[in-house]
Amino acid sequence: MENMRKKAAYLQGLAEGLGISREDAQGRVLLQVLDLLAEMAAGMDEMADKVASLEEFAEEINEDLGDIEEIVYGGDEPASQAEGMIEITCPHCGENVLVDYATFHDEQELPCPQCGKPLCEDDSGEEG
């Protein structure tokens, strides 16, 4: 990003060296474009600094979350969680079913393999 600032400054110096004046219309336009380019380069530098700061902050949060998970789960996750599986008890027949976490969240109505009814009941208040 610093390279953009240098290039913008170089172009401004080149325009000054060529004697481009703000007195005529073309000179005003060209110099305004060069001023805008310099401002944009400076703004991009500021954004790059902020993004770097946010990345650092996100990494710190991730490390803290890892520490919290270690405290809460004690480092020993059940095998089903480690493999991305969750255990659900069917509200209709009481069967315990292991379901892939991604499948569970992707499917609207996941049927119980034992009774065929939905594993999750609709919370909309309708009775079936």
Side-chain angles (χ1 to χ4, degrees):
M1 294 294 167
E2 186 65 32
N3 193 30
M4 289 181 67
R5 272 188 161 178
K6 288 179 182 178
K7 286 181 180 180
Y10 171 76
L11 290 173
Q12 286 178 320
L14 191 61
E16 188 177 315
L18 291 173
I20 297 176
S21 170
R22 292 190 188 271
E23 300 302 316
D24 63 5
Q26 291 173 339
R28 277 193 304 272
V29 169
L30 182 58
L31 292 175
Q32 286 292 328
V33 168
L34 291 175
D35 289 344
L36 177 63
L37 183 64
E39 287 179 31
M40 291 173 66
M44 290 182 72
D45 279 347
E46 289 176 26
M47 281 194 283
D49 291 343
K50 288 179 181 180
V51 166
S53 176
L54 288 172
E55 286 174 342
E56 203 174 293
F57 184 64
E59 183 61 34
E60 290 174 13
I61 289 173
N62 191 32
E63 290 172 7
D64 291 345
L65 180 59
D67 293 344
I68 292 170
E69 287 175 340
E70 184 71 28
I71 292 168
V72 171
Y73 297 116
D76 297 329
E77 290 185 29
S80 62
Q81 283 184 345
E83 297 169 4
M85 304 292 282
I86 57 174
E87 185 174 356
I88 301 171
T89 302
C90 177
H92 306 285
C93 68
E95 180 76 17
N96 289 332
V97 180
L98 277 179
V99 180
D100 178 71
Y101 186 79
T103 302
F104 177 72
H105 285 286
D106 289 342
E107 294 290 324
Q108 291 295 326
E109 286 190 17
L110 194 61
C112 172
Q114 184 70 25
C115 68
K117 294 182 180 177
L119 286 173
C120 294
E121 293 191 62
D122 186 9
D123 291 337
S124 64
E126 296 178 15
E127 293 185 29

